[in-house]
């Protein structure tokens, strides 16, 4: 994870507000008027007291009374409106950020997400982005509101004496700036560590739930629980430290407010004794300062929570800033499929060469088989045909066009990939199949399932094609999931079918039905078939063998 400064994270997050600048300005204006109204309820109360005591005041007692009522109404209305506006901005931006994150994940998939901790990703998408609500709803506009409000209050207090304005300015800077910065530095990297370890715990819990049956089978429940408790204890210690910091911050803030209130009172009293101000110059500035710390206290309380917020923002930016291994291609002319080929392809994962100068021709309408031991590069070759990775040397071509010059959407429409693991969503069988073709008719879905030898099984289920498959398809066997994956490929109706061990979990009867379907489709389809089974290879027109990264016929 890249460590960015809090200032860098803050500026990046602020730039996202640009589409909602109008709402932000509206929130700032309403917030300023609301806080001024609240403060001047107390200030006008001070004027009223002075008027009762016989001191000359700008208005009559009746005017002060009705003004206080007016200020109370304005404060209530605008405070609600400002909060509503800020939260509208916040939740609108959270939706925008989630959209950006999902768009980035789509570009990173599948290469950059293989082996990634899914629980940690879920933590970023949910809790980390949700935590940014504090920044957008309770930080940006409140900070600007506090700035404008404090300037106005300093001018008002300074109208009695410049020394009092200086005291007010120092008070506002101390409460609203210095104490939050001090608290933030005291927090150190606790916020970042808390968010990171929280994400790790989410990943650990998700992993534990998925492997619950294996944990019970081998009696590892206590060990797993102990590891989970250990991570929770570490997380609790960080949370305890952050709460202690927040508590100390609040204590320091309240003490500072009391000190500055007393300073204002004693300073104004001394000025009164020296004849530099009137009684109103003592009463009103003191009351005004005492009742005007609201915006600054709101900022001061953010000192500790902002560490978590910036840590969450840093984790979100890690995703947004990550570059995909393969960029999407757009703007080219679409092509039709008429064969594929790999020419002198070399590909390595980091320093490990998987394929070395591999060449294979895949004529249109043919079935090409690829065999080899596990880890020899068979699956990698299929993924290179899908352009999940870029080749280091050589080229992969579709219809004699390098796939780097083919629109990504066009390439995906021409190809279907069935991997060794079929992912099923927590939805009905019908909706899981329609991922391959959204507008497919029920008849087309059933026809695809018949080709994949899974239609008869589906009809025996209580709700047929509307039967839910459970999370990750765990209500189905491995063979049933595999056949649904093949049904998706048939339904997608792509010209090039890339099948990675498509019958590894099937019995001989179901394998024979599927191979028969593939052979019947040969006139309209081109198939690349990867398998360990010699029985699967009997339908292939040509078989290549992969060994130590080299291909032979």
């Amino acid at each position: 994870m890249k460590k960015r400064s809090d200032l860098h994270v803050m500026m990046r997050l602020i730039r996202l507000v640009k589409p909602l600048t109008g709402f932000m300005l509206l929130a700032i204006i309403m917030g300023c008027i609301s806080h001024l109204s609240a403060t001047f309820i107390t200030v006008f109360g001070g004027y009223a007291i002075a008027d009762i005591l016989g001191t000359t005041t700008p208005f009559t007692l009746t005017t002060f009374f009705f003004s206080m009522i007016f200020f109370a109404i304005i404060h209530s209305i605008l405070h609600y409106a400002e909060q509503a506006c800020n939260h509208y901005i916040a939740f609108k931006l959270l939706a925008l950020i989630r959209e950006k994150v999902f768009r980035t994940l789509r570009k990173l998939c599948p290469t950059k997400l293989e082996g990634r901790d899914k629980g940690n990703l879920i933590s970023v998408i949910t809790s980390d982005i949700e935590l940014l609500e504090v920044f957008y709803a309770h930080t940006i506009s409140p900070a600007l509101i506090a700035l404008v409000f404090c300037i106005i209050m300093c001018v008002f207090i300074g109208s009695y004496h410049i020394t009092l304005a200086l005291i007010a300015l120092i008070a506002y800077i101390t409460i609203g700036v210095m104490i939050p910065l001090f608290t933030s530095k005291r927090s150190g990297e606790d916020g970042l560590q808390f968010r990171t370890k929280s994400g790790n715990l989410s990943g650990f819990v998700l992993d534990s739930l998925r492997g619950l049956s294996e944990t019970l089978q081998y009696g590892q429940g206590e060990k797993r629980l102990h590891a989970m408790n250990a991570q929770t204890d570490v997380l609790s210690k960080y949370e305890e430290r952050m709460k202690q910091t927040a508590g100390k911050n609040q204590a320091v803030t309240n003490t500072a407010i009391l000190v500055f209130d007393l300073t204002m009172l004693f300073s104004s009293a001394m000025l009164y004794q020296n004849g530099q101000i009137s009684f109103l110059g003592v009463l009103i500035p003191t009351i005004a300062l005492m009742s005007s710390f609201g915006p600054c206290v709101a900022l001061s309380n953010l000192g500790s929570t902002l560490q978590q917020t910036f840590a969450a923002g840093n984790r979100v930016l890690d995703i947004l800033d990550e570059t995909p291994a393969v960029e999407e291609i757009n703007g080219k002319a679409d092509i039709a499929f008429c064969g594929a080929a790999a020419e002198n392809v070399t590909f390595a994962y980091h320093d490990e060469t998987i394929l070395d100068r591999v060449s294979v021709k895949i004529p249109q309408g043919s079935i090409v088989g690829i065999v080899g031991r596990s880890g020899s590069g068979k699956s990698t070759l299929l993924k290179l045909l899908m352009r999940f990775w870029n080749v280091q040397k050589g080229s992969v071509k579709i219809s004699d066009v390098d796939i780097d010059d083919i629109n990504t959407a066009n390439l995906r429409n021409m190809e279907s990939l069935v991997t060794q693991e079929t992912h099923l969503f927590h939805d009905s069988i019908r909706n899981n199949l329609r991922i391959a073709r959204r507008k497919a008719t029920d008849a087309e879905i059933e026809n695809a399932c018949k080709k994949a030898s899974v239609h008869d099984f589906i009809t025996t289920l209580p709700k047929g094609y509307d039967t839910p498959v459970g999370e990750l398809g765990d209500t189905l066997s491995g063979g049933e999931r595999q056949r649904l994956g093949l049904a998706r490929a048939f339904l997608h109706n792509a010209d090039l079918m890339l099948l990675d061990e498509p019958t590894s979990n099937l019995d001989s009867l179901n394998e024979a039905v599927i191979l028969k379907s593939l052979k019947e489709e040969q006139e309209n389809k081109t198939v690349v078939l990867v398998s360990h089974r010699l029985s699967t290879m009997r339908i292939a027109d040509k078989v290549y063998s992969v060994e130590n990264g080299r291909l032979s016929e």
Side-chain angles (χ1 to χ4, degrees), residues 42 106 232 237 296 322 402 408 446 481 541:
T42 310
R106 178 181 173 275
T232 304
K237 288 179 180 177
C296 293
E322 191 161 351
D402 195 299
T408 302
E446 290 179 11
R481 290 197 297 271
D541 301 314

Side-chain angles (χ1 to χ4, degrees), residues 367-468:
I367 298 178
V368 175
I370 301 176
V371 297
R373 61 180 177 79
S374 296
S376 60
K378 307 184 302 298
S379 301
T380 299
L381 182 58
L382 298 188
K383 292 175 181 178
L384 290 175
L385 287 165
M386 290 290 294
R387 199 172 170 267
F388 288 168
W389 287 276
N390 286 322
V391 298
Q392 275 92 37
K393 294 180 181 178
S395 63
V396 176
K397 295 182 177 180
I398 303 289
S399 304
D400 290 325
V401 178
D402 195 299
I403 59 172
D404 289 341
D405 295 320
I406 301 175
N407 291 331
T408 302
N410 183 201
L411 185 68
R412 297 287 185 267
N413 285 332
M414 288 190 289
E415 298 177 333
S416 290
L417 173 65
V418 178
T419 61
Q420 297 178 34
E421 294 292 332
T422 299
H423 181 87
L424 296 177
F425 296 91
H426 193 181
D427 205 337
S428 66
I429 291 176
R430 190 188 311 278
N431 288 339
N432 266 286
L433 292 171
R434 277 210 170 104
I435 289 171
R437 186 144 55 95
R438 189 183 303 175
K439 295 182 180 180
T441 64
D442 290 345
E444 289 171 331
I445 291 174
E446 290 179 11
N447 185 46
C449 288
K450 288 176 182 177
K451 291 178 182 178
S453 188
V454 73
H455 172 73
D456 292 340
F457 161 72
I458 294 173
T459 56
T460 65
L461 297 174
K463 296 182 180 179
Y465 281 85
D466 293 318
T467 302

